[in-house]
Every structure is written in C-alpha cells, then in structure tokens.
Amino acid sequence: MTVRGTLSAQTTTLIGRGAVLAETEVLLRETRLVTLTGAGGAGKSRLAVEAGRSLAAAEAFQHGVRRVRLGDLGDPALLARVVAAELRIVDNAPDGGFGRLVESLHDKHLLLVLDDCEHLLDAVRHLVHHLRRDCEGLTILVTSREPLGIYGERVLRVPPLSVDDAVRLFEDRAGVVAEQADVTALCTAVDGLPLSVELVAARPAGTPLTEVLDGLGPVTLDQVLGWAARRCTDEERLVWAALSVFPADFDLAAAEAVADADVQQPLCALVRRSIVVATTSPVTGETRYRLLSAVSQFGARLLTDADEPLRRHALHYNEFVDEVARSWFSPGEALWMGRLWEEWPNVRAAIGHALRTPGLAAVGATMAMNGQRARFTSFAGMLGQAWDLLAAAREAITEAPLRTSLLAHCAYMAQARGDMATAIPLMNEARTLPRLPVTDVHLVLAEATHLFFVEGSPDCVPLYAHVVELCRRHASPGDTYITELMHAMATCFLLDAEAADKATTGLIRQAESNGVNWSHAWGLWLRGLHELLHGDPAEVHGPALRALRIQLTLGDTWGAPFSLWLLACACAELGAFDRAARLLGALRSQERISRISFGGMSPFQQVLERADRGTRRALGDDYQVITTLGADLRPEQAVAFALEPVPASERRPVVPALPGGLSRQEFTIAGLVAEGCTSKQIAARLFISPRTADRHVVNISVKLGLPSRTALAAWHRSAATDR
C-alpha cells in the first residue's frame, strides 16, 4: 500500500478552536483511539482534518494521515471495503475486505481518520476493535455524534464556540459589518454552534439581523435549518430536497438530472447560503457540490416522495457508466477512470437502489456489468465491491437473456483471475438459458477462455476469433481489444511461432499507435510473451519493464502481477536465478493480494512451473531463503525491485553444456523421443503445439547429423548413459 494524504485543502479559516485542537493532538500522541463527539454542525470533521494536517506536518506518523469519509455509506456491510478503497488497498477478495485491511495495515504507523460515523456505530465499533488488536502501529481518530463505547477509547466532546469566537466566525463568513449587539445576541441564540452561525451569516442580502433574531430565539440546528428553508424560494427548496438523495458529492449535470430542471441559479443561491458546499474537482477542474450530513437529512424531510428523485439518480448514473464503458478505450482513458473513481459512491448507491426497486433491476445489473467492462474495478483493485454488486444482480435478475449475459460475464471475471471453481457452475447455468447475439459476446468469450485456461486446447483460438467478430458488431472498442488480446495470447501459448507472429504483430502495432496507454502496456507485455515462448528470452525484459511502468503510472493494479509473472519467467530463462527466485516469491504474494491465481490458468502455470523448476535446481538450498525474501516484500518494494535492470553479473549460463551442443529443451525432447513419444505426446508434455514439437525433432536430428527418430533415440540413450 502506498500511503498518501487525503486531507482536503480548506478554503475558510478555522476560528476559535485552538485549545480543543491542541488537546486532540495531545491525545492522538498518547493513545490509539480518540473519538470526537458533539452535536451535528459542531465542527467535528473540520477539527479532525486540522488535527490530522498538523500531525502530518510534524511527521508524527511514519506512514502519514489518511481520512475516510463515511457519511455517504448507507450499507454497514461495505464498511471494510470502503475503507480499503479509500486507502488504495487492493481488495479483490470475496470475503468483505477486512482481511486485506489488516494485512495492509498491520505494519503501518498511520493515523486513520474515520469521519462521520454515527449512522454506522455497530459496524465501526467492530472494525475499530479488530484493527486496534491486529495493527499495533495504527492510531484511529473517529468523529461521531456518539462515542463508540469500547475499551481504550478517549472521548473528547467538541464544545460550541464561545460567544466571542462565534462573533468572529459570523463576521468572517458574513463579510459585512453588522451591529455588534445584534451579532452577539444572534450567536448566543444559536448556542455558538458553528454550522448554525454560518447558515445565519449567509442570510439573504439585506435581511436585518433583528428579523433573524425575531425568527430564532434559543434554537437547535434543526430549527436554524427550518428558518433557512423558509427563507429559500420554492424552487430552492425543491432543489435542496432533490439533492438530498445524493450519498456523496456530485456535479451540475447530475444535479439537473435528479432535480429534472435547470438548477444553476437555485444551486448557486444554496451555495451562497452555506446549504450546499462547492468544491473543485481535482480530476476535471469543474465544480462539484455536496451537502453536509445534517443539511442532507433535513433536505430529505422536505421531499414529498423520494422515489422519483432516486429513480432519476439511478438512470443518470446508468447513462454515465454506459458512456464510460463505451468511451474509456481512448487517449482520455485516465480522465474516464478518474471520473468513475470520483463518482463511484454515487454509482454504487445507484446500482444498489436499482437492484432493490421493481422495474429498475435490469438497469442495476447492466450498470454493475458496465462498471467492470470499463475495467475500473480491475484498475482500482476493487473487484471485491464489483463481485458483491454482481452477486446482488444475480439474485435480482432471474430471466434470460439478461441473466445469461450476467452469468457469462461473472464466469469470465472468475476465469480471468484463475478461479475456475467459481466460473464453471456459472457457465453451466448460462449454457442452459436462452440468449441473443449480444449475449453470445459474453458466453462465447467465457467458453473460449475455459478452453484456453482449463483445457489448454488450441480449439480456443478460432473461438476467440469468432468472439472478435461478434465484438466488432455488437460491443465497444475496449471489449473488442480485450478479445483480440486474448486471441493473440492463446495463439502465443498454444500454437507455433509462425501463427504467434501473425496473431501478435498487428495487435502490437495497433497498441503502439492508438494512444491508449492501457493497450500499449498490454501490447508490450504481449511482445515479451512472444519472445519468451518463441524467441529470445533476453528480449523479454525491456518490453516487460516498460509495460510495468505504464501500469504503475495508470494505477492499474490488475496488470502489474502479469508483468511480474513475465519478468520472473524471463529471469529464469536468462539464468538470473537469484533475481528469478525473489520475483517468484514476490509473485506469490501478489497472487494472494490480487486474487489472481496463475495456478488456475494452465498455460501460465506450465511456464511458471518450468521457471520454478530451473530456479530451484540452480539455487539448491538457497531457493527457499531467497523466495521467502521476495514474498516478504511489500507490493511497492516488489515492484521497485522488478524495475531494476538485470546486471550482467547476475546472468549465468542457463544450463550446463549438454551433449551435442543441444539446449536444455532440445535434450529433453530427444529424451522424450527415446521414450517412444510421438510429436503429439511431446507437445502435451511440454505445452507446445504438435507442429512445433515435430519441427524441434527435425532440427535436433539435423544438428546431430542423424537420419531418423530411431537414430535420435539411440543417440540420447548413449548420451544419457555417458552423463
């Protein structure tokens, strides 16, 4: 895990919190769990951010400070997954994400801020208890209206502002000079609650403070919100109510879709009145909006019927995700991935609502599939969340052909990470259901991948070619490239060098010229694979390293393990056995973290086993020690090691000199001929095509000057005896 700061920049001055801020920092240095409590609008979140920022600047925590906003999370079951995602921890597991959190945080000296937790108290209590038990270097700062009530918790109640500080806050936010006595009376009436002060300070222009005071008296935040709502226009109140359905921040287009109106003017008015908070997107540079939880809850009470805004919310994000799935395969891929990351809380909520709502389930299922078709959840290491949503979709969708597509899509997802135990039952059910031509794209892709990964059959190659044609007619450019890549990969593994050249050359050239960095990385990877299987292993390292660098730049957590696999196998072929062993160990850790099982993908496993056998034989007793060192590397350390060039001094002769000047593979093939194996049997043993095996036998006979297979067999028996 690479830990980075997530404390957003503040655009307003923190007023009157010096003492409580200092006390918070002292407690965080002394104890491992601090909870800031207080009424809604007391400023708990702002105080947590400022405390975190101060401690980060002082380098009080070796691995920094991370903040996770939980106000937008409605489902407690997703808590661990959401925290993992916000910390950029790869969470591709089906077990709820808690294991990955502990595995990633157990050795970190980190301050974790869990913000806005009062609606998730039981789930947060459970999570915090286990994180504190299993992660000794972790300190947790919680903000909640209520304490967690667990052992070791230090509770600090955030008090209202003093009258003097509340007056200063009013004057700072109002930006105008008002009668001091009236301001003091107003701040006293709202009990110094910062949000109430800010709402009243943002009163409509020209509204006398005496009128505000007449309307208030001693009041709660809820009454201040009611006062603010009464001073909104009807249009502004309708917009406020509609915006309450957003679980997270949103842009103008989403606001207009949900409100079903042009909302620019009322939205600006709500921002001026501190009812809506405006921020700038770091992805697009455009304005995004959000409602504080207390303001959103009040707005929800203004809704006469939430069903229609929620329906429009789901339909808007369905259109958005569909656009991403169709458009991400372009030079703008990083922007699309960034936008989907920014909108993910809304997308996740929209999928959940649609799947629970009669008449919208198909929309939810399609949205869940499109999120994965856009490669977002693979990129971001959030396949666990994707799998949860797709599992809910399988519960909701019972009729073909959509269920057929859904099952086939899930089967392919499982195949892609080598989980055949999950994939096969899904495929078996999909085969029994009706389908449409567009369904064939999903189902035939899964069928071809089964032949490739499970059976290692060359029959998958023409089937992939058929899927490519289906994609060109019925799917997006990104889907088409995926199937072209699988076709070329299968050809490399299962057919001879001539067929591999033909299948890969055009795709590599396309990847280098289409401006899509993701496909460029896989084109480089494919070039390396071709060299490993059919060319010169010394030519693998360069393309594999370039592919890995692109994947890291993109934040592609899925592609990186495949590049590590390629580098480990190449180092073994080069005779750089120390490096190969360390990479093999790191690869096993990456398999566990990413939930990619190369052991479940027969072609990959065959090549990996060959690399492992050669490395184990070369290193002897040192093998276990060196692979363990690799397995102990953190993901970022493993990647840094993989990116190092291979010094010439590390390269050894790949094999000792063998009789007749044969290579290891050639001597092995001669031995199989001596055993009486046919070319087809040799191909099955070595995982090459029969045609390639036959060509090797001919080349070996020519090299040795032998006239027949019988003579070659006799030669090998004699040579083996001499050795």
Side-chain angles (χ1 to χ4, degrees):
M1 180 188 73
T2 300
V3 178
R4 299 177 298 177
T6 55
L7 302 176
S8 56
Q10 301 296 320
T11 58
T12 57
T13 306
L14 182 67
I15 292 175
R17 290 303 193 190
V20 71
L21 180 60
E23 187 176 357
T24 302
E25 292 179 29
V26 168
L27 287 175
L28 289 170
R29 291 175 185 271
E30 293 177 347
T31 188
R32 294 180 53 220
L33 174 61
V34 176
T35 300
L36 299 179
T37 66
K44 301 181 294 295
S45 296
R46 178 64 185 274
L47 187 60
V49 169
E50 294 296 338
R53 193 188 309 284
S54 176
L55 291 167
E59 299 183 349
F61 294 90
Q62 180 185 351
H63 296 106
V65 179
R66 301 300 302 271
R67 176 194 183 195
V68 181
R69 286 178 176 167
L70 296 174
D72 63 354
L73 180 61
D75 184 357
L78 288 174
L79 177 62
R81 290 212 190 278
V82 169
V83 174
E86 287 298 314
L87 298 181
R88 300 299 195 268
I89 294 171
V90 174
D91 172 27
N92 292 340
D95 61 2
F98 180 74
R100 282 294 298 124
L101 263 182
V102 171
E103 184 180 7
S104 296
L105 297 178
H106 81 279
D107 61 347
K108 300 296 187 297
H109 183 230
L110 173 76
L111 173 59
L112 175 62
V113 180
L114 299 178
D115 191 16
D116 207 358
C117 299
E118 54 268 359
H119 60 303
L120 302 167
L121 278 180
D122 287 341
V124 172
R125 192 178 291 123
H126 179 267
L127 179 71
V128 167
H129 169 74
H130 288 282
L131 286 179
R132 289 174 67 225
R133 183 191 65 188
D134 298 330
C135 306
E136 293 184 1
L138 187 66
T139 297
I140 302 173
L141 175 59
V142 173
T143 72
S144 171
R145 295 181 190 178
E146 301 176 41
L148 298 182
I150 61 179
Y151 177 77
E153 177 186 28
R154 296 289 295 274
V155 178
L156 179 59
R157 182 166 184 81
V158 179
L161 292 171
S162 68
V163 174
D164 289 345
D165 288 333
V167 169
R168 287 173 55 213
L169 176 64
F170 179 93
E171 292 175 344
D172 181 82
R173 301 301 192 260
V176 295
V177 177
E179 179 63 39
Q180 186 72 27
D182 290 343
V183 174
T184 300
L186 186 144
C187 291
T188 302
V190 300
D191 197 26
L193 198 67
L195 180 55
S196 294
V197 173
E198 294 197 22
L199 286 168
V200 178
R203 69 198 187 284
T207 305
L209 283 183
T210 51
E211 179 183 327
V212 177
L213 286 167
D214 289 342
L216 287 177
V219 292
T220 63
L221 173 61
D222 202 58
Q223 289 172 308
V224 173
L225 287 166
W227 169 85
R230 289 192 297 274
R231 277 146 184 81
C232 290
T233 66
D234 290 342
E235 184 182 24
E236 290 163 2
R237 277 193 298 274
L238 288 172
V239 170
W240 181 355
L243 299 183
S244 69
V245 305
F246 283 98
D249 58 317
F250 50 89
D251 61 15
L252 179 62
E256 291 184 334
V258 169
D260 195 26
D262 179 357
V263 302
Q264 191 155 12
Q265 288 187 348
L267 189 55
C268 288
L270 292 172
V271 170
R272 288 194 302 271
R273 296 182 184 192
S274 295
I275 292 168
V276 173
V277 178
T279 57
T280 300
S281 164
V283 176
T284 64
E286 298 177 356
T287 303
R288 292 184 67 79
Y289 306 91
R290 65 184 177 88
L291 277 67
L292 298 177
S293 58
V295 177
S296 180
Q297 290 162 15
F298 185 89
R301 299 205 297 271
L302 299 176
L303 277 173
T304 55
D305 181 6
D307 290 346
E308 186 57 25
L310 285 169
R311 185 186 72 84
R312 291 195 290 259
H313 180 273
L315 294 177
H316 171 76
Y317 283 103
N318 178 52
E319 291 178 6
F320 168 72
V321 176
D322 180 68
E323 184 181 11
V324 178
R326 286 184 285 104
S327 306
W328 74 271
F329 190 76
S330 68
E333 60 186 326
L335 177 62
W336 285 113
M337 290 300 103
R339 289 189 63 194
L340 193 44
W341 179 270
E342 200 167 50
E343 295 288 7
W344 183 247
N346 281 307
V347 171
R348 184 178 60 220
I351 293 172
H353 174 73
L355 290 175
R356 294 189 300 269
T357 304
L360 284 180
V363 170
T366 302
M367 216 185 318
M369 286 191 287
N370 281 341
Q372 178 55 25
R373 283 180 55 225
R375 308 297 151 199
F376 167 69
T377 49
S378 301
F379 263 61
M382 290 172 21
L383 284 174
Q385 289 195 44
W387 195 255
D388 289 347
L389 294 170
L390 288 164
R394 294 198 303 274
E395 292 289 326
I397 302 298
T398 58
E399 299 295 328
L402 181 56
R403 182 168 178 80
T404 316
S405 289
L406 183 59
L407 291 168
H409 177 86
C410 293
Y412 175 72
M413 272 184 67
Q415 289 170 333
R417 63 175 190 257
D419 183 3
M420 303 308 161
T422 299
I424 289 172
L426 295 168
M427 279 186 60
N428 288 340
E429 183 183 349
R431 288 171 178 143
T432 67
L433 298 177
R435 49 183 164 161
L436 296 174
V438 69
T439 311
D440 281 344
V441 173
H442 301 288
L443 189 54
V444 181
L445 178 60
E447 296 282 9
T449 305
H450 179 82
L451 288 173
F452 181 19
F453 284 171
V454 177
E455 299 182 17
S457 169
D459 292 343
C460 70
V461 175
L463 200 55
Y464 275 128
H466 175 55
V467 185
V468 170
E469 292 305 314
L470 288 173
C471 281
R472 287 172 179 164
R473 293 199 298 269
H474 300 293
S476 69
D479 292 330
T480 303
Y481 183 85
I482 290 291
T483 55
E484 290 173 334
L485 178 63
M486 295 297 291
H487 174 259
M489 193 187 300
T491 305
C492 263
F493 273 112
L494 303 177
L495 300 184
D496 58 26
E498 182 180 354
D501 281 338
K502 184 177 179 181
T504 59
T505 301
L507 191 62
I508 291 170
R509 189 178 298 118
Q510 175 193 343
E512 291 174 344
S513 61
N514 62 14
V516 183
N517 286 328
W518 179 85
S519 72
H520 188 195
W522 279 104
L524 290 165
W525 184 91
L526 188 62
R527 184 188 296 278
L529 179 70
H530 182 272
E531 293 292 348
L532 180 70
L533 300 179
H534 300 285
D536 181 359
E539 297 298 319
V540 174
H541 208 259
L545 284 183
R546 289 161 59 199
L548 181 57
R549 288 191 182 99
I550 293 172
Q551 288 159 346
L552 294 175
T553 300
L554 291 173
D556 179 4
T557 66
W558 183 259
F562 285 86
S563 292
L564 284 178
W565 174 90
L566 187 57
L567 286 165
C569 294
C571 285
E573 291 293 328
L574 288 172
F577 294 116
D578 287 1
R579 182 173 293 268
R582 192 164 295 201
L583 287 173
L584 287 168
L587 181 63
R588 287 165 193 158
S589 291
Q590 284 296 301
E591 284 187 276
R592 186 188 69 254
I593 290 169
S594 64
R595 294 304 175 105
I596 298 171
S597 172
F598 291 109
M601 297 180 275
S602 181
F604 287 87
Q605 179 64 9
Q606 292 281 345
V607 178
L608 191 60
E609 284 179 351
R610 186 175 72 192
D612 189 75
R613 281 195 304 270
T615 303
R616 187 186 296 269
R617 185 167 56 245
L619 296 179
D621 293 340
D622 291 338
Y623 170 86
Q624 191 63 48
V625 174
I626 298 174
T627 53
T628 300
L629 289 173
D632 288 342
L633 294 173
R634 291 194 297 270
E636 60 270 23
Q637 293 173 323
V639 167
F641 177 75
L643 289 173
E644 294 176 4
V646 181
S649 60
E650 286 192 22
R651 302 186 185 189
R652 308 175 189 179
V654 177
V655 290
L658 292 171
L662 298 186
S663 69
R664 183 178 59 195
Q665 186 179 46
E666 288 172 332
F667 195 76
T668 300
I669 290 172
L672 293 172
V673 170
E675 292 177 17
C677 294
T678 64
S679 292
K680 185 175 181 180
Q681 290 168 329
I682 292 171
R685 293 275 289 273
L686 300 183
F687 211 72
I688 57 178
S689 70
R691 183 174 166 187
T692 300
D694 198 48
R695 189 177 72 249
H696 278 305
V697 172
V698 171
N699 290 342
I700 294 166
S701 298
V702 170
K703 181 184 287 190
L704 296 174
L706 300 172
S708 65
R709 293 174 75 102
T710 302
L712 177 58
W715 175 89
H716 184 274
R717 283 191 289 271
S718 174
T721 300
D722 291 343
R723 291 188 77 210

